[in-house]
């Protein structure tokens, strides 16, 4: 153990131990929770820095050692995953529910007085960046014991450690509250859609229906974009890909670029400045609307640009229609593939859409725009809170 002074860099191995997860076979699982089984958490039960019980399994208690039962203050980590983005995600245990964890996870069990402090550290970008750089396997990403043991962080006096935890906990609570507000706005928009138009698949209100191909403009071919964008360019024609759409918002700063010569070979998908983009590869049926400043850009094979006959269906209405869970699920169900999931263009062209009266569409779009004003203000508050949180994380742990 180290001798505590005002501040020093300390390896995780000096203030915590690691515990491996439970290895089990299908025969060791129970159908339900009973006197002979216990809840087993897996990597999917770690999300947004918290532990959920949405999809658990029940393993025979005989497979679980005494130290493999979770304790308050433990930090549960995804230790192995095919995705580099998932490996290393972590959450602190703050509940008394008796449960254990699977072999693709591990637990960091801190000395009790450092539990909250370490719990905060394992939510930091500093930790995730470090782990992402070292946890690279041949076919799967792995965190080995030495990766965790060798991590170093700044340890202060008990009083300062507690103040740091208190400050960052308060900021996390604020961020969680703001995100909840945004989720409620999303639910409000969805509820208003159902109230006005019903389920767009079963169509209980009996709206007229048309295929997507019959409501687009003459110059919209509903086609795949650029198959091969060529070598990455520092300048040239920006190209949208599925990864560039996050939460229905385009990530403009990361757009790849291609040459004008390549873009001109795909004239049908050159953007004209007011389109709905829909993903047709990987994350199927994600949408966003782009405006005039993107005129002249193009899209990759995983994106299809849509322009509508706006006397028939408004672009903003179409976006919310495609985002409706029932229709969105129907579109996703048509995607095919084994290693790469993709939506066939003909299947997309014949998707059936409800076509309510244009005035009713306008009423709904007006409502959504008012909600979007509130959403923008709340997103700005979220951005400020997150920047402050990240700044303090860097100050304390960087």
């Amino acid at each position: 153990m180290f001798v505590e002074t005002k501040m020093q860099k300390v390896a995780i191995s000096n203030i915590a131990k690691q515990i491996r997860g439970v290895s089990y076979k299908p025969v060791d699982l129970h159908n339900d929770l009973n006197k002979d089984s216990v809840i087993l958490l897996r990597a999917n039960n770690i999300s947004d820095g918290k532990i959920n019980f949405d999809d658990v399994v029940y393993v025979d208690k005989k497979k679980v050692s005494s130290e493999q039962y979770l304790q308050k203050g433990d930090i549960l980590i995804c230790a192995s995953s095919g995705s580099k983005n998932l490996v290393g995600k972590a959450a602190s245990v703050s509940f008394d529910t008796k449960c254990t964890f699977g072999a693709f996870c591990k637990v960091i069990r801190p000395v009790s007085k450092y539990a909250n402090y370490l719990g905060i550290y394992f939510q930091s970008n500093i930790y995730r960046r470090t782990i992402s750089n070292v946890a690279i396997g041949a076919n799967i990403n792995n965190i080995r014991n030495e990766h965790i043991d060798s991590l170093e962080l700044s340890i202060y006096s008990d009083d300062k450690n507690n103040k740091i935890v208190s400050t960052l906990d308060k900021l996390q609570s604020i961020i969680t509250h703001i995100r909840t507000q945004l989720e409620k706005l999303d639910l409000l928009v969805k509820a208003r859609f159902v109230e006005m138009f019903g389920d767009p698949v079963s169509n209980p209100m009996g709206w007229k229906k048309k295929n997507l191909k019959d409501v687009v403009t003459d110059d919209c071919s509903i086609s795949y974009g650029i198959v091969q964008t060529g070598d990455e360019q520092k300048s040239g024609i920006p190209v949208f890909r599925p990864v560039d759409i996050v939460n229905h918002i385009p990530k403009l700063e990361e757009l790849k670029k291609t040459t004008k010569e390549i873009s001109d070979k795909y004239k049908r998908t050159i953007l004209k400045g007011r389109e709905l983009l829909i993903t047709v590869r990987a994350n199927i049926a994600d949408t966003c609307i782009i405006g005039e400043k993107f005129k002249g850009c193009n899209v990759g094979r995983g994106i299809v640009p849509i322009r509508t006959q706006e006397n028939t269906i408004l672009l903003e209405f179409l976006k919310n229609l495609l985002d409706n869970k029932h229709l969105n699920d129907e579109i996703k169900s048509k995607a095919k593939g084994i290693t790469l999931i993709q939506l066939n263009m003909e299947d997309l062209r014949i998707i059936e859409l409800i076509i309510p009266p244009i005035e009713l569409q306008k009423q709904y779009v007006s409502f959504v725009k008012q909600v979007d004003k509130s959403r923008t203000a709340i997103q700005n508050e979220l951005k400020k809170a997150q920047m402050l949180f990240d700044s303090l994380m860097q100050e304390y742990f960087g």
Side-chain angles (χ1 to χ4, degrees):
M1 286 291 290
F2 67 97
V3 178
E4 188 176 276
T5 59
K6 288 184 178 181
M7 189 284 281
Q8 57 183 309
K9 289 284 187 179
V10 177
I12 298 290
S13 58
N14 285 322
I15 56 175
K17 68 175 181 177
Q18 298 181 56
I19 299 166
R20 64 179 179 82
V22 176
S23 296
Y24 61 92
K25 298 176 181 178
V27 70
D28 300 316
L29 296 178
H30 292 232
N31 292 327
D32 53 22
L33 186 61
N34 54 52
K35 65 182 179 62
D36 297 316
S37 67
V38 64
I39 295 170
L40 182 137
L41 300 173
R42 297 165 294 170
N44 61 285
N45 299 115
I46 307 171
S47 59
D48 297 326
K50 299 186 183 302
I51 294 173
N52 67 72
F53 290 82
D54 294 341
D55 180 21
V56 299
V57 295
Y58 309 103
V59 70
D60 198 290
K61 289 180 179 178
K62 292 177 182 177
K63 303 299 295 183
V64 186
S65 69
S66 58
E67 73 171 1
Q68 287 175 319
Y69 285 98
L70 290 176
Q71 301 175 12
K72 272 190 175 180
D74 283 351
I75 301 155
L76 181 64
I77 293 178
C78 171
S80 298
S81 173
S83 170
K84 188 177 177 180
N85 292 328
L86 296 181
V87 69
K89 65 177 182 173
S92 294
V93 176
S94 58
F95 49 79
D96 293 313
T97 305
K98 192 170 186 178
C99 56
T100 187
F101 54 101
F104 279 13
C105 293
K106 66 170 59 188
V107 148
I108 310 301
R109 185 161 290 163
V111 174
S112 59
K113 73 173 183 174
Y114 296 118
N116 292 334
Y117 191 72
L118 266 185
I120 289 286
Y121 168 74
F122 277 96
Q123 297 305 314
S124 69
N125 289 333
I126 296 111
Y127 154 71
R128 288 306 298 269
R129 282 198 303 268
T130 303
I131 285 300
S132 292
N133 288 335
V134 300
I136 302 173
N139 298 308
I140 193 167
N141 299 291
N142 295 283
I143 299 177
R144 297 195 295 269
N145 281 2
E146 57 264 32
H147 294 152
I148 296 293
D149 282 343
S150 62
L151 290 173
E152 289 189 338
L153 70 158
S154 300
I155 295 290
Y156 305 85
S157 67
D158 288 351
D159 282 346
K160 183 164 184 179
N161 289 343
N162 291 335
K163 286 178 182 177
I164 289 171
V165 170
S166 176
T167 298
L168 293 174
D169 274 347
K170 287 176 183 176
L171 268 174
Q172 278 189 320
S173 295
I174 291 169
I175 289 169
T176 299
H177 175 68
I178 295 173
R179 285 176 175 163
T180 300
Q181 288 181 298
L182 290 172
E183 289 170 2
K184 287 181 178 179
L185 288 180
D186 289 340
L187 290 174
L188 178 63
V189 168
K190 291 173 182 176
R192 183 64 171 155
F193 183 96
V194 174
E195 178 188 342
M196 292 181 68
F197 308 109
D199 173 8
V201 176
S202 62
N203 194 19
M205 296 186 178
W207 304 115
K208 177 176 60 176
K209 282 193 167 188
K210 288 189 175 185
N211 300 124
L212 178 60
K213 66 180 181 179
D214 296 321
V215 300
V216 298
T217 57
D218 292 339
D219 61 354
C220 177
S221 59
I222 311 184
S223 303
Y224 292 122
I226 299 172
V227 175
Q228 177 53 261
T229 58
D231 295 333
E232 185 176 337
Q233 307 272 327
K234 289 186 178 180
S235 62
I237 307 299
V239 177
F240 280 94
R241 302 158 300 153
V243 295
D244 298 317
I245 299 176
V246 179
N247 296 325
H248 306 290
I249 299 171
K251 291 170 61 180
L252 310 181
E253 69 279 3
E254 296 182 13
L255 291 182
K256 299 290 186 183
K257 294 180 175 64
T258 191
T259 64
K260 186 175 185 304
E261 289 74 18
I262 291 176
S263 180
D264 284 347
K265 292 178 182 178
Y266 295 85
K267 290 184 181 295
R268 293 180 301 177
T269 55
I270 293 177
L271 302 182
K272 300 201 172 180
R274 177 166 161 74
E275 282 101 344
L276 181 144
L277 305 184
I278 180 168
T279 59
V280 292
R281 271 189 170 189
N283 297 324
I284 305 295
D286 284 353
T287 63
C288 75
I289 291 179
I290 53 92
E292 183 70 23
K293 68 178 179 179
F294 301 107
K295 185 175 181 179
C297 296
N298 213 318
V299 300
R301 185 173 172 82
I303 296 276
V304 172
I306 302 292
R307 291 181 289 276
T308 62
Q309 304 166 21
E310 298 217 30
N311 60 342
T312 301
I313 187 166
L314 299 176
L315 202 63
E316 291 83 1
F317 177 79
L318 175 60
K319 180 192 179 304
N320 284 273
L321 178 58
L322 295 174
D323 291 343
N324 176 274
K325 185 179 187 309
H326 291 172
L327 185 57
N328 198 266
D329 286 347
E330 183 179 85
I331 295 171
K332 287 176 178 175
S333 72
K334 297 178 183 298
K336 302 176 180 68
I338 298 175
T339 57
L340 179 64
I341 305 299
Q342 182 169 288
L343 184 64
N344 182 277
M345 284 301 93
E346 189 54 34
D347 287 332
L348 180 61
R349 291 181 186 119
I350 62 174
I351 290 292
E352 281 197 321
L353 309 171
I354 59 170
I355 311 294
I358 200 71
E359 288 304 317
L360 205 58
Q361 293 183 41
K362 287 179 179 178
Q363 288 179 31
Y364 177 71
V365 169
S366 177
F367 170 79
V368 172
K369 287 180 178 178
Q370 289 301 314
V371 173
D372 282 344
K373 290 179 181 178
S374 298
R375 181 183 283 108
T376 298
I378 294 171
Q379 285 171 335
N380 287 336
E381 291 303 311
L382 177 60
K383 185 177 180 180
K384 291 177 185 176
Q386 190 65 56
M387 287 177 63
L388 177 57
F389 182 84
D390 293 342
S391 173
L392 289 176
M393 280 285 204
Q394 183 64 40
E395 178 183 340
Y396 299 137
F397 298 115

